[in-house]
Amino acid sequence: MKKGLMVLERVSAVFLPVVAVAANGITSFAAETGTGGGSLADTATSALTSAVTDMASSVASAIGAVIPIAIPLVGAGLVVTIGLKVFTKITNKA
């Protein structure tokens, strides 16, 4: 259980900066009032909707870029960990 938490901490140490960098580039500015006569609430709603949509696409692209690199690394770590456990079990019984 403790090793599982350590692996989770390592994985979160990798993904947290990626998400923070992806979210850092997102800036939301108040939209200027247009000539359409829309209310301030409509303008704020559309600005927030577009900001959240941009943020979601940025996070999705960051995760999509990291996953092909992270999965083989995590798999290799699991193979080494399980291989060491099997090796120690075999050598202890011999």
Side-chain angles (χ1 to χ4, degrees):
M1 182 71 173
K2 189 174 182 180
K3 287 185 180 183
L5 290 175
M6 291 178 68
V7 170
L8 183 62
E9 288 174 357
R10 289 180 186 163
V11 170
S12 64
V14 171
F15 286 113
L16 184 61
V18 172
V19 173
V21 168
N24 191 21
I26 300 168
T27 308
S28 177
F29 295 103
E32 296 180 12
T33 57
T35 58
S39 69
L40 182 61
D42 292 337
T43 306
T45 301
S46 65
L48 286 172
T49 303
S50 66
V52 169
T53 303
D54 290 343
M55 182 177 66
S57 65
S58 295
V59 169
S61 65
I63 290 172
V66 169
I67 284 180
I69 298 167
I71 288 179
L73 292 176
V74 171
L78 287 173
V79 166
V80 169
T81 304
I82 293 171
L84 287 173
K85 285 182 183 179
V86 169
F87 181 75
T88 55
K89 283 184 181 180
I90 290 173
T91 55
N92 286 338
K93 290 183 179 180

